[in-house]
Amino acid sequence: MSESLGQRPWMTAPETTAVLDALEAAGGPDCARFVGGCVRNTLIGKPVSDLDIATRLTPEAVTAALKAAGLKAVPTGVEHGTVTAVCRGKPFEITTLRRDVATDGRRAVVAFTDDWAEDAQRRDFTLNSLYARRDGTLFDPTGHGVADARAGRIVFVGEAEQRVREDFLRILRFFRFFAWYGTPPPDAAALEACEALRGELKTLSAERVSRELLKLLAADDPRPAVALMARTGVLGEVLPAPIDLARFEGLVAIEDDQLFENDPLLRLAALLPDDQLGAVRFAEALRLSNAERDRLAAALAPAPALKSWMSPREIRRTLYRLGAQPFRDRAKLAWARAPRTAATPQWRGMIALGEGWSPPPFPLTGEDVIAAGAPKGPMVGQVLREVEDWWVDHDFIDDRLSTIEKLKSVVQGMAF
Protein backbone atom coordinates (compact mmCIF):
# COMPACT_ATOMS: atom_id res chain seq x y z
CA MET A 1 0.00 0.00 0.00
CA SER A 2 1.29 3.46 -0.87
CA GLU A 3 2.23 5.73 1.98
CA SER A 4 0.10 8.85 2.48
CA LEU A 5 0.81 12.32 3.78
CA GLY A 6 -2.80 12.58 4.85
CA GLN A 7 -4.99 15.54 4.08
CA ARG A 8 -3.20 18.76 4.95
CA PRO A 9 -4.73 22.23 5.01
CA TRP A 10 -2.54 23.44 2.15
CA MET A 11 -3.82 20.57 -0.01
CA THR A 12 -7.47 21.39 0.54
CA ALA A 13 -7.29 25.20 0.58
CA PRO A 14 -9.77 26.80 -1.85
CA GLU A 15 -6.94 28.17 -4.01
CA THR A 16 -5.26 24.75 -4.29
CA THR A 17 -8.56 23.06 -5.06
CA ALA A 18 -9.36 25.57 -7.80
CA VAL A 19 -6.01 25.03 -9.53
CA LEU A 20 -6.14 21.23 -9.36
CA ASP A 21 -9.77 21.19 -10.51
CA ALA A 22 -8.80 23.29 -13.53
CA LEU A 23 -5.94 20.95 -14.47
CA GLU A 24 -7.97 17.78 -13.98
CA ALA A 25 -10.82 19.18 -16.05
CA ALA A 26 -8.38 19.23 -18.96
CA GLY A 27 -6.21 16.19 -18.23
CA GLY A 28 -8.29 13.86 -16.10
CA PRO A 29 -7.69 12.48 -12.58
CA ASP A 30 -4.06 12.26 -11.45
CA CYS A 31 -2.77 14.40 -14.33
CA ALA A 32 -1.18 16.66 -11.73
CA ARG A 33 0.68 15.97 -8.47
CA PHE A 34 2.36 18.06 -5.84
CA VAL A 35 6.14 17.81 -6.10
CA GLY A 36 9.33 18.83 -4.35
CA GLY A 37 9.48 21.09 -1.33
CA CYS A 38 5.85 21.00 -0.23
CA VAL A 39 5.89 17.19 -0.22
CA ARG A 40 9.33 16.95 1.39
CA ASN A 41 8.57 19.48 4.13
CA THR A 42 5.23 17.90 4.98
CA LEU A 43 6.92 14.50 5.23
CA ILE A 44 9.55 15.74 7.72
CA GLY A 45 7.32 18.13 9.64
CA LYS A 46 8.65 21.43 8.28
CA PRO A 47 6.54 24.44 7.29
CA VAL A 48 5.25 24.58 3.72
CA SER A 49 5.42 27.84 1.81
CA ASP A 50 5.66 27.40 -1.96
CA LEU A 51 3.42 24.93 -3.76
CA ASP A 52 4.87 23.29 -6.86
CA ILE A 53 2.84 21.04 -9.12
CA ALA A 54 4.05 18.60 -11.79
CA THR A 55 1.69 17.65 -14.59
CA ARG A 56 1.38 15.54 -17.73
CA LEU A 57 -0.26 18.49 -19.48
CA THR A 58 1.86 20.56 -21.85
CA PRO A 59 2.46 24.23 -20.97
CA GLU A 60 -0.05 25.27 -23.65
CA ALA A 61 -2.67 22.92 -22.21
CA VAL A 62 -1.95 24.19 -18.69
CA THR A 63 -2.42 27.79 -19.82
CA ALA A 64 -5.67 26.97 -21.61
CA ALA A 65 -7.00 25.01 -18.63
CA LEU A 66 -6.27 27.83 -16.19
CA LYS A 67 -7.83 30.47 -18.39
CA ALA A 68 -10.91 28.31 -18.94
CA ALA A 69 -11.33 28.20 -15.17
CA GLY A 70 -10.93 31.96 -14.86
CA LEU A 71 -7.48 31.72 -13.28
CA LYS A 72 -4.45 33.81 -14.14
CA ALA A 73 -1.65 32.03 -16.08
CA VAL A 74 1.83 33.58 -16.15
CA PRO A 75 4.40 32.12 -18.62
CA THR A 76 7.32 32.22 -16.17
CA GLY A 77 9.40 29.57 -17.94
CA VAL A 78 7.47 28.07 -20.81
CA GLU A 79 10.60 26.91 -22.63
CA HIS A 80 11.31 24.68 -19.64
CA GLY A 81 7.68 23.74 -19.16
CA THR A 82 6.73 26.10 -16.33
CA VAL A 83 3.56 28.16 -16.03
CA THR A 84 2.63 29.98 -12.82
CA ALA A 85 -1.02 29.90 -11.83
CA VAL A 86 -2.31 32.66 -9.59
CA CYS A 87 -5.49 32.12 -7.60
CA ARG A 88 -6.64 34.72 -5.07
CA GLY A 89 -3.15 36.14 -5.03
CA LYS A 90 -1.42 32.81 -4.29
CA PRO A 91 1.06 31.51 -6.90
CA PHE A 92 1.40 27.86 -7.93
CA GLU A 93 4.35 26.87 -10.10
CA ILE A 94 3.14 24.22 -12.55
CA THR A 95 5.74 22.35 -14.60
CA THR A 96 5.20 19.76 -17.29
CA LEU A 97 6.92 16.42 -16.75
CA ARG A 98 10.20 16.54 -18.64
CA ARG A 99 13.53 14.94 -19.39
CA ASP A 100 16.86 16.51 -20.27
CA VAL A 101 17.88 16.36 -23.91
CA ALA A 102 21.12 18.34 -23.60
CA THR A 103 22.93 20.09 -20.73
CA ASP A 104 26.09 22.21 -20.50
CA GLY A 105 26.37 22.82 -16.77
CA ARG A 106 24.44 26.08 -16.90
CA ARG A 107 21.22 25.42 -18.79
CA ALA A 108 19.28 22.47 -20.13
CA VAL A 109 17.31 21.68 -23.26
CA VAL A 110 14.30 19.63 -22.23
CA ALA A 111 11.68 17.48 -23.86
CA PHE A 112 8.27 16.89 -22.33
CA THR A 113 7.14 13.45 -21.20
CA ASP A 114 4.20 11.83 -19.44
CA ASP A 115 6.39 9.51 -17.35
CA TRP A 116 6.61 10.40 -13.66
CA ALA A 117 9.70 8.23 -13.14
CA GLU A 118 11.50 9.89 -16.06
CA ASP A 119 10.74 13.30 -14.59
CA ALA A 120 12.10 12.19 -11.20
CA GLN A 121 15.37 11.02 -12.74
CA ARG A 122 16.26 14.54 -13.92
CA ARG A 123 15.76 16.15 -10.50
CA ASP A 124 18.68 16.97 -8.23
CA PHE A 125 18.24 15.14 -4.91
CA THR A 126 16.21 12.13 -3.89
CA LEU A 127 14.36 14.05 -1.17
CA ASN A 128 13.20 16.55 -3.83
CA SER A 129 11.97 13.77 -6.16
CA LEU A 130 8.81 13.05 -4.20
CA TYR A 131 5.26 13.45 -5.54
CA ALA A 132 1.86 13.41 -3.88
CA ARG A 133 -1.69 13.27 -5.20
CA ARG A 134 -4.26 15.69 -3.93
CA ASP A 135 -5.54 13.00 -1.54
CA GLY A 136 -2.07 12.74 0.04
CA THR A 137 -0.94 9.51 -1.61
CA LEU A 138 2.85 9.63 -1.73
CA PHE A 139 5.04 8.53 -4.66
CA ASP A 140 8.79 7.93 -4.44
CA PRO A 141 10.03 7.04 -7.97
CA THR A 142 13.71 6.82 -6.98
CA GLY A 143 12.90 4.44 -4.14
CA HIS A 144 15.09 6.41 -1.71
CA GLY A 145 13.51 9.85 -1.34
CA VAL A 146 11.30 9.13 1.65
CA ALA A 147 14.04 7.40 3.65
CA ASP A 148 16.64 10.02 2.72
CA ALA A 149 14.34 12.90 3.68
CA ARG A 150 13.60 11.39 7.07
CA ALA A 151 17.25 10.59 7.73
CA GLY A 152 18.54 13.99 6.57
CA ARG A 153 20.57 12.49 3.73
CA ILE A 154 21.22 14.88 0.84
CA VAL A 155 21.85 12.43 -2.00
CA PHE A 156 21.93 13.15 -5.72
CA VAL A 157 19.52 11.22 -7.92
CA GLY A 158 21.59 8.65 -9.78
CA GLU A 159 25.29 9.33 -10.29
CA ALA A 160 26.47 12.43 -8.39
CA GLU A 161 29.05 13.71 -10.85
CA GLN A 162 26.62 13.44 -13.76
CA ARG A 163 23.98 15.42 -11.85
CA VAL A 164 26.52 18.15 -11.07
CA ARG A 165 27.80 18.31 -14.65
CA GLU A 166 24.22 18.89 -15.82
CA ASP A 167 24.01 22.05 -13.71
CA PHE A 168 27.00 23.32 -11.74
CA LEU A 169 24.71 25.33 -9.47
CA ARG A 170 23.88 21.97 -7.88
CA ILE A 171 27.20 22.27 -6.04
CA LEU A 172 25.83 25.18 -4.03
CA ARG A 173 22.41 23.56 -3.84
CA PHE A 174 23.98 20.50 -2.22
CA PHE A 175 25.42 22.65 0.58
CA ARG A 176 22.23 24.70 0.83
CA PHE A 177 20.07 21.60 1.30
CA PHE A 178 22.60 20.15 3.72
CA ALA A 179 22.33 23.38 5.75
CA TRP A 180 18.53 23.28 5.78
CA TYR A 181 17.73 19.56 5.91
CA GLY A 182 20.95 17.56 6.26
CA THR A 183 22.26 15.45 9.11
CA PRO A 184 25.99 14.62 9.30
CA PRO A 185 27.86 12.89 7.89
CA PRO A 186 27.41 14.27 4.35
CA ASP A 187 27.02 11.86 1.46
CA ALA A 188 30.56 10.98 0.34
CA ALA A 189 29.79 10.72 -3.38
CA ALA A 190 28.03 14.07 -3.39
CA LEU A 191 30.85 15.76 -1.53
CA GLU A 192 33.46 14.27 -3.85
CA ALA A 193 31.62 15.48 -6.96
CA CYS A 194 31.19 18.99 -5.55
CA GLU A 195 34.85 19.23 -4.62
CA ALA A 196 36.06 17.90 -7.96
CA LEU A 197 33.94 20.30 -10.01
CA ARG A 198 34.06 23.37 -7.76
CA GLY A 199 36.02 25.41 -10.32
CA GLU A 200 33.00 25.30 -12.65
CA LEU A 201 31.10 27.62 -10.32
CA LYS A 202 32.88 30.49 -12.04
CA THR A 203 30.97 29.69 -15.24
CA LEU A 204 27.60 30.45 -13.62
CA SER A 205 25.79 33.77 -13.69
CA ALA A 206 26.41 35.95 -10.67
CA GLU A 207 22.69 36.23 -9.96
CA ARG A 208 22.27 32.45 -9.63
CA VAL A 209 25.27 32.19 -7.31
CA SER A 210 24.22 35.06 -5.04
CA ARG A 211 20.64 33.79 -4.76
CA GLU A 212 21.80 30.33 -3.78
CA LEU A 213 24.43 31.62 -1.37
CA LEU A 214 21.98 33.85 0.51
CA LYS A 215 19.42 31.03 0.71
CA LEU A 216 22.11 28.80 2.20
CA LEU A 217 23.09 31.44 4.77
CA ALA A 218 19.43 31.88 5.78
CA ALA A 219 19.32 28.38 7.34
CA ASP A 220 18.93 28.23 11.11
CA ASP A 221 22.46 26.90 11.52
CA PRO A 222 24.54 26.94 8.33
CA ARG A 223 27.85 26.48 10.18
CA PRO A 224 28.38 22.77 9.39
CA ALA A 225 27.57 23.33 5.71
CA VAL A 226 29.83 26.39 5.43
CA ALA A 227 32.64 24.51 7.19
CA LEU A 228 32.25 21.73 4.60
CA MET A 229 32.38 24.31 1.82
CA ALA A 230 35.61 25.67 3.23
CA ARG A 231 37.13 22.22 3.64
CA THR A 232 36.38 21.23 0.04
CA GLY A 233 37.51 24.56 -1.45
CA VAL A 234 34.00 25.44 -2.65
CA LEU A 235 33.78 28.50 -0.40
CA GLY A 236 36.96 29.91 -1.85
CA GLU A 237 35.44 29.74 -5.33
CA VAL A 238 32.63 32.14 -4.43
CA LEU A 239 34.13 34.38 -1.71
CA PRO A 240 37.29 36.54 -1.67
CA ALA A 241 40.13 35.62 0.68
CA PRO A 242 40.76 35.74 3.55
CA ILE A 243 37.50 34.13 4.66
CA ASP A 244 36.68 34.77 8.33
CA LEU A 245 35.09 31.49 9.44
CA ALA A 246 35.61 32.26 13.12
CA ARG A 247 33.65 35.53 12.96
CA PHE A 248 30.91 33.87 10.92
CA GLU A 249 30.55 31.03 13.44
CA GLY A 250 30.55 33.54 16.29
CA LEU A 251 27.77 35.56 14.66
CA VAL A 252 25.55 32.51 14.15
CA ALA A 253 26.12 31.53 17.77
CA ILE A 254 25.14 35.02 18.93
CA GLU A 255 21.98 35.00 16.82
CA ASP A 256 21.05 31.64 18.30
CA ASP A 257 21.88 32.54 21.92
CA GLN A 258 20.29 35.98 21.86
CA LEU A 259 17.27 35.06 19.73
CA PHE A 260 18.21 37.51 16.99
CA GLU A 261 16.57 36.92 13.64
CA ASN A 262 18.66 34.99 11.12
CA ASP A 263 20.36 37.57 8.92
CA PRO A 264 21.89 36.03 5.77
CA LEU A 265 23.38 39.28 4.47
CA LEU A 266 25.13 40.03 7.76
CA ARG A 267 26.34 36.43 7.88
CA LEU A 268 27.82 37.02 4.45
CA ALA A 269 29.52 40.17 5.74
CA ALA A 270 30.97 38.17 8.63
CA LEU A 271 32.68 35.84 6.15
CA LEU A 272 34.19 38.65 4.08
CA PRO A 273 37.49 40.45 4.73
CA ASP A 274 37.42 43.80 6.53
CA ASP A 275 37.80 45.68 3.27
CA GLN A 276 35.12 48.23 2.45
CA LEU A 277 36.14 48.74 -1.18
CA GLY A 278 36.57 45.00 -1.60
CA ALA A 279 33.05 44.48 -0.26
CA VAL A 280 31.69 46.90 -2.86
CA ARG A 281 33.54 45.13 -5.68
CA PHE A 282 32.35 41.73 -4.42
CA ALA A 283 28.73 42.88 -4.15
CA GLU A 284 28.81 44.33 -7.65
CA ALA A 285 30.43 41.21 -9.08
CA LEU A 286 27.71 39.09 -7.46
CA ARG A 287 25.00 41.47 -8.77
CA LEU A 288 23.63 42.19 -5.32
CA SER A 289 21.15 45.04 -5.05
CA ASN A 290 22.40 48.56 -4.35
CA ALA A 291 20.91 48.38 -0.86
CA GLU A 292 22.70 45.08 -0.17
CA ARG A 293 25.97 46.47 -1.54
CA ASP A 294 25.74 49.58 0.62
CA ARG A 295 24.90 47.57 3.72
CA LEU A 296 27.90 45.27 3.24
CA ALA A 297 30.21 48.23 2.71
CA ALA A 298 28.94 50.04 5.81
CA ALA A 299 29.23 46.92 7.95
CA LEU A 300 32.85 46.38 6.90
CA ALA A 301 34.09 49.98 7.12
CA PRO A 302 37.38 50.34 9.06
CA ALA A 303 36.30 53.01 11.52
CA PRO A 304 35.11 53.79 14.07
CA ALA A 305 35.90 50.59 15.96
CA LEU A 306 33.20 49.45 18.41
CA LYS A 307 34.28 48.15 21.82
CA SER A 308 32.22 46.47 24.50
CA TRP A 309 33.33 48.98 27.15
CA MET A 310 31.99 52.05 25.32
CA SER A 311 29.92 54.34 27.52
CA PRO A 312 26.29 55.11 26.67
CA ARG A 313 27.42 58.58 25.61
CA GLU A 314 30.04 57.14 23.24
CA ILE A 315 27.50 54.69 21.90
CA ARG A 316 25.00 57.45 21.14
CA ARG A 317 27.69 59.52 19.41
CA THR A 318 28.77 56.58 17.25
CA LEU A 319 25.19 55.60 16.52
CA TYR A 320 24.44 59.14 15.36
CA ARG A 321 27.42 59.14 13.00
CA LEU A 322 26.89 55.67 11.57
CA GLY A 323 23.11 55.33 11.45
CA ALA A 324 21.03 52.63 13.11
CA GLN A 325 21.50 49.72 10.66
CA PRO A 326 25.28 50.07 10.19
CA PHE A 327 25.72 50.51 13.94
CA ARG A 328 23.80 47.33 14.77
CA ASP A 329 25.61 45.39 12.04
CA ARG A 330 29.03 46.51 13.19
CA ALA A 331 28.21 45.86 16.84
CA LYS A 332 27.19 42.29 16.05
CA LEU A 333 30.29 41.71 13.92
CA ALA A 334 32.54 43.10 16.66
CA TRP A 335 30.80 40.92 19.24
CA ALA A 336 31.12 37.88 16.97
CA ARG A 337 34.90 38.31 16.91
CA ALA A 338 35.14 38.67 20.71
CA PRO A 339 35.58 35.66 23.03
CA ARG A 340 32.22 33.93 23.44
CA THR A 341 31.99 34.54 27.20
CA ALA A 342 33.29 38.09 27.12
CA ALA A 343 31.10 41.11 27.88
CA THR A 344 27.82 39.61 26.67
CA PRO A 345 25.67 42.03 28.75
CA GLN A 346 27.62 45.01 27.41
CA TRP A 347 27.27 43.94 23.77
CA ARG A 348 23.60 43.12 24.27
CA GLY A 349 23.01 46.51 25.87
CA MET A 350 24.84 48.27 23.05
CA ILE A 351 22.68 46.60 20.41
CA ALA A 352 19.52 47.28 22.43
CA LEU A 353 20.45 50.96 22.59
CA GLY A 354 21.05 50.91 18.86
CA GLU A 355 17.57 49.48 18.34
CA GLY A 356 15.73 51.72 20.79
CA TRP A 357 17.36 55.14 20.68
CA SER A 358 16.48 57.75 18.11
CA PRO A 359 18.72 60.82 17.97
CA PRO A 360 17.02 64.20 18.38
CA PRO A 361 17.00 66.53 15.39
CA PHE A 362 19.86 69.01 15.22
CA PRO A 363 18.29 72.27 16.44
CA LEU A 364 19.94 74.69 13.98
CA THR A 365 19.47 75.47 10.30
CA GLY A 366 21.37 77.46 7.72
CA GLU A 367 19.09 80.41 8.40
CA ASP A 368 20.26 80.43 12.03
CA VAL A 369 23.87 80.59 10.84
CA ILE A 370 23.17 83.54 8.52
CA ALA A 371 21.24 85.31 11.29
CA ALA A 372 24.32 84.93 13.51
CA GLY A 373 26.40 86.87 10.98
CA ALA A 374 27.88 84.32 8.58
CA PRO A 375 27.67 85.17 4.87
CA LYS A 376 25.69 83.01 2.51
CA GLY A 377 27.75 80.34 0.76
CA PRO A 378 29.96 77.36 1.66
CA MET A 379 30.83 78.87 5.05
CA VAL A 380 27.29 78.19 6.26
CA GLY A 381 27.78 74.45 5.96
CA GLN A 382 31.20 74.63 7.62
CA VAL A 383 29.76 76.50 10.60
CA LEU A 384 26.85 74.08 10.90
CA ARG A 385 29.21 71.10 10.92
CA GLU A 386 31.40 72.61 13.64
CA VAL A 387 28.43 73.41 15.87
CA GLU A 388 26.92 69.98 15.20
CA ASP A 389 30.19 68.36 16.30
CA TRP A 390 30.01 70.34 19.54
CA TRP A 391 26.35 69.39 20.01
CA VAL A 392 27.11 65.69 19.52
CA ASP A 393 30.13 65.84 21.84
CA HIS A 394 27.84 67.34 24.49
CA ASP A 395 25.53 64.32 24.17
CA PHE A 396 22.91 66.04 22.02
CA ILE A 397 22.30 68.80 24.54
CA ASP A 398 18.61 69.70 24.69
CA ASP A 399 19.14 73.43 25.08
CA ARG A 400 18.64 75.56 22.00
CA LEU A 401 19.90 78.70 23.76
CA SER A 402 23.22 77.04 24.57
CA THR A 403 23.47 75.85 20.99
CA ILE A 404 22.78 79.37 19.71
CA GLU A 405 25.49 80.73 22.00
CA LYS A 406 27.95 78.18 20.65
CA LEU A 407 26.92 79.17 17.12
CA LYS A 408 27.63 82.82 17.86
CA SER A 409 31.07 82.04 19.27
CA VAL A 410 31.96 79.96 16.21
CA VAL A 411 30.82 82.68 13.83
CA GLN A 412 32.73 85.35 15.77
CA GLY A 413 35.87 83.27 15.68
CA MET A 414 35.87 82.83 11.92
CA ALA A 415 37.44 85.13 9.40
CA PHE A 416 35.01 85.82 6.55
Side-chain angles (χ1 to χ4, degrees), residues 18-39:
V19 170
L20 289 178
D21 285 349
L23 296 176
E24 291 185 354
D30 199 31
C31 73
R33 297 176 182 174
F34 302 111
V35 66
C38 58
V39 181

Side-chain angles (χ1 to χ4, degrees), residues 190-230:
L191 206 60
E192 182 181 352
C194 291
E195 182 172 9
L197 296 170
R198 65 186 185 275
E200 301 294 344
L201 288 168
K202 295 188 183 302
T203 67
L204 299 173
S205 72
E207 292 86 351
R208 296 185 77 201
V209 171
S210 61
R211 255 193 324 267
E212 202 64 37
L213 188 59
L214 289 173
K215 286 179 181 179
L216 188 162
L217 293 175
D220 285 343
D221 187 359
R223 287 173 292 183
V226 171
L228 273 178
M229 293 173 73

Side-chain angles (χ1 to χ4, degrees), residues 112-147:
F112 302 135
T113 179
D114 61 1
D115 188 331
W116 298 99
E118 194 171 26
D119 184 75
Q121 287 302 314
R122 70 166 303 278
R123 294 181 179 270
D124 49 11
F125 307 112
T126 56
L127 82 172
N128 290 339
S129 302
L130 298 171
Y131 305 77
R133 286 180 182 152
R134 66 191 301 175
D135 64 2
T137 302
L138 189 62
F139 295 89
D140 184 3
T142 71
H144 304 284
V146 169

Side-chain angles (χ1 to χ4, degrees), residues 54-69:
T55 181
R56 290 192 175 107
L57 296 173
T58 65
E60 295 77 15
V62 168
T63 300
L66 295 173
K67 290 182 176 179

